[in-house]
Amino acid sequence: DAVFIADDEALEALRPDSLPGLVVLDVSAMSAADVSQCIRKCNGSKLPVIALVPRHRVADLDASLGFDDFLVAPPDIGELVTRAKRVLWQSRASEDDALIRVGDLTVDVSGYEVSLKGRRIALRFKEYELLRLLASNPGRAYSRETLLSQIWGYDYFGGTRTVDVHIRRLRSKIEDADHSFIETIWNVGYRFIHLEPS
């Protein structure tokens, strides 16, 4: 769904509980402050924005405002539809980059949240960092030393046993009889089991 915004009233109609998939913003009848406010509100809700700009205002258009694309108004409908599809595709692609999905497990990279079958899993920061690193590189074996240096840093003086303890805690939170994600590679370290994304 797309919504067309050309004035303050339309801007106020944007409600968090019924957001569209795309905003087409007609800047011809709006002040620069209103345009900026609208784009801030849309960006806060992660809504893609296409600006419709009168030809005489194109040179003055402030690209730093944060819109995703623009067209000269009045737009060619075919071009508007094509640009809208492209902006929506880019928006979905960037959302997918922020999520790692493996089976029933979802890691929200930008939100620092993990869920299993839709249920949120509370992880400590180092557990989350271990999971994010391993899940981002399924099938790759990591030695304990590599995990220690990448997650704790080179200045950490603890032994590799720290990695084992955190992996054990992580497994206890995300694994059960139906879910096994982290594999032990004997005398090496660990790897995330390569599963087809759900």
Side-chain angles (χ1 to χ4, degrees):
D1 295 341
V3 66
F4 181 78
I5 295 179
D7 56 30
D8 291 341
E9 289 180 20
L11 172 61
E12 292 305 316
L14 281 180
R15 301 278 179 228
D17 57 341
S18 61
L19 291 174
L22 172 73
V23 170
V24 178
L25 182 64
D26 184 356
V27 304
S28 60
M30 300 176 75
S31 70
D34 289 341
V35 170
S36 179
Q37 177 191 0
C38 180
I39 291 176
R40 274 199 316 276
K41 185 171 184 177
C42 293
N43 287 348
S45 302
K46 297 182 179 170
L47 291 173
V49 178
I50 295 178
L52 297 181
V53 185
R55 187 170 300 281
H56 68 277
R57 289 183 62 185
V58 169
D60 300 326
L61 190 61
D62 184 357
S64 69
L65 285 173
F67 51 83
D68 298 280
D69 205 347
F70 79 95
L71 284 136
V72 172
D76 173 81
I77 297 302
E79 183 181 6
L80 177 58
V81 168
T82 300
R83 287 180 184 257
K85 286 179 182 176
R86 186 182 66 80
V87 164
L88 287 170
W89 178 82
Q90 286 177 327
S91 174
R92 289 188 186 112
S94 66
E95 284 175 12
D96 289 344
D97 289 344
L99 291 177
I100 301 169
R101 290 188 180 101
V102 182
D104 294 326
L105 182 71
T106 303
V107 180
D108 180 351
V109 175
S110 60
Y112 283 85
E113 289 189 357
V114 175
S115 60
L116 184 64
K117 288 187 172 178
R119 184 176 54 87
R120 189 168 180 266
I121 306 294
L123 297 180
R124 294 181 177 180
F125 183 71
K126 296 297 187 190
E127 294 166 352
Y128 169 81
E129 288 293 302
L130 273 169
L131 177 60
R132 184 184 58 77
L133 176 64
L134 292 170
S136 296
N137 302 282
R140 177 179 171 185
Y142 285 90
S143 70
R144 289 169 176 83
E145 293 78 12
T146 299
L147 290 172
L148 194 64
S149 68
Q150 289 198 26
I151 304 300
W152 281 265
Y154 288 104
D155 56 350
Y156 183 75
F157 295 109
T160 55
R161 183 81 183 122
T162 300
V163 174
D164 296 331
V165 170
H166 279 76
I167 291 286
R168 188 173 66 246
R169 287 180 186 156
L170 177 58
R171 281 177 164 160
S172 73
K173 294 177 180 181
I174 66 168
E175 295 187 348
D176 56 28
D178 300 323
H179 302 93
S180 181
F181 298 106
I182 300 171
E183 183 179 10
T184 301
I185 309 300
W186 297 110
N187 297 320
V188 177
Y190 301 95
R191 74 174 161 213
F192 199 84
I193 297 171
H194 188 71
L195 299 171
E196 289 299 317
S198 63

